[in-house]
Amino acid sequence: VVDEAHRARNLGKQAVALIGVQARARLLLTATVLPNNLDELYNVVTIAAPGQLGTRADFREDFAAPIEAGRALGASAADVADAKDASDLLSEISGKVMLRRTNEELARGLPAKTTMLVVCRPTELQRALHGALQAETVEKALVRLELIRAVHLTPCKLELGSRVGRLLLRRAVAKMPESPAERLSLSGKMQACKALLDSVLDSTADRVVVVSSSKPALVDVMAYVRARQGDAAACEMLTGSVAKKTRERIKERFNDVKRMSSFRVLALVD
């Protein structure tokens, strides 16, 4: 059984070794969509069922070459027809060893999904900082774009940014608040995040995943949840720097719904 099977698509040393393993049955699992790359498809199918697609030379002659010719810019009608025939045959053959699940099929076994579009108005501080960052020239605008993006998420990001950002923040705010709730109140988006968290934590027993590409913003969210719940274990954060064993342990604790736990919120850096 091979999990994360998409990692073998480039046929590295481990993938080559898998082909040579003697086994009565092989099961490859992946939740990652395989790219539209014929060579990578050949590699994965060959690991699962050696010989299913023939030799690499046969595969390239029978499938890869005609399909690529039909996809090429300016392909003739004959090339397009040949490509379709080769693609249909390839789908039929690979379909004997590949079981795919579409998003529509997966959704049938999942709870209903609700998407909410929340319009967040900037705070007075955000509006003031945005005005201070308006540039007179295109060159300055490009330089300040990242600062403007930071302000739109939360002014707190300027604390850890460039010297220009820190200076602007100090001019606008005499002293940054230390209270997690007050720090969230500096941003319209973070106010909305706080309101949603409060609603879920107060009225349900559900667990919450908060996702953002900004670690500083999630640090403030984590501090707020811990202070609100009075428990340091109420919120954990996962980043790319978290060790694999620690990551798996955190995920197992969060997903264990049978276990009564104060761990209610997971902050995930995307």
Side-chain angles (χ1 to χ4, degrees), residues 6-270:
H6 59 276
R7 296 180 179 176
R9 61 186 181 227
N10 293 322
L11 211 63
K13 291 182 179 179
Q14 290 183 333
V16 172
L18 286 173
I19 296 176
V21 172
Q22 298 297 316
R24 288 181 298 174
R26 298 164 182 260
L27 180 62
L28 276 64
L29 307 173
T30 180
T32 300
V33 177
L34 293 176
N36 197 19
N37 183 302
L38 295 172
D39 290 326
E40 293 179 0
L41 174 64
Y42 175 85
N43 294 340
V44 174
V45 172
T46 298
I47 295 171
Q52 180 77 14
L53 296 177
T55 66
R56 188 174 295 276
D58 290 339
F59 176 78
R60 176 137 290 279
E61 179 180 353
D62 296 337
F63 299 106
I67 292 174
E68 290 170 356
R71 291 175 178 171
L73 185 64
S76 66
D79 288 337
V80 173
D82 289 343
K84 184 179 184 309
D85 290 342
S87 181
D88 290 345
L89 181 57
L90 177 59
S91 296
E92 179 182 344
I93 295 174
S94 61
K96 295 178 180 178
V97 296
M98 293 179 68
L99 180 62
R100 299 175 184 267
R101 287 288 182 264
T102 64
N103 288 336
E104 290 76 13
E105 291 170 323
L106 293 173
R108 297 190 193 116
L110 297 174
K113 177 181 177 181
T114 301
T115 301
M116 298 174 61
L117 178 61
V118 180
V119 178
C120 305
R121 296 187 179 279
T123 62
E124 289 186 12
L125 174 60
Q126 285 178 300
R127 289 195 292 270
L129 288 169
H130 184 99
L133 284 167
Q134 289 182 352
E136 301 81 12
T137 66
V138 174
E139 291 75 12
K140 288 185 178 180
L142 292 175
V143 171
R144 297 186 182 186
L145 180 60
E146 194 61 31
L147 290 174
I148 291 175
R149 291 180 60 190
V151 167
H152 285 186
L153 177 59
T154 171
C156 297
K157 284 193 69 175
L158 298 183
E159 291 179 299
L160 305 175
S162 67
R163 179 174 173 274
V164 174
R166 295 196 303 272
L167 286 173
L168 283 171
L169 189 59
R170 280 201 293 268
R171 290 172 184 170
V173 183
K175 183 181 179 181
M176 288 292 286
E178 296 182 3
S179 162
E182 290 180 0
R183 289 177 65 84
L184 294 184
S185 71
L186 299 178
S187 160
K189 287 184 179 180
M190 301 309 286
Q191 287 178 6
C193 179
K194 175 181 176 298
L196 289 170
L197 279 170
D198 288 342
S199 176
V200 174
L201 295 175
D202 285 339
S203 60
T204 76
D206 292 343
R207 298 180 183 185
V208 184
V209 179
V210 182
V211 183
S212 175
S213 59
S214 170
K215 182 178 177 181
L218 291 179
V219 168
D220 284 341
V221 168
M222 182 168 65
Y224 171 71
V225 173
R226 288 177 171 180
R228 180 191 188 281
Q229 301 296 101
D231 188 349
C235 183
E236 296 282 359
M237 182 185 297
L238 284 182
T239 70
S241 62
V242 175
K244 183 177 180 181
K245 288 185 178 179
T246 303
R247 175 184 293 269
E248 293 304 317
R249 186 163 60 250
I250 291 174
K251 286 164 58 178
E252 287 178 6
R253 283 178 49 223
F254 186 73
N255 290 324
D256 187 0
V257 294
K258 295 181 180 179
R259 174 184 175 186
M260 294 298 295
S261 172
S262 61
F263 187 6
R264 298 283 306 279
V265 180
L266 178 63
L268 180 62
V269 180
D270 184 13

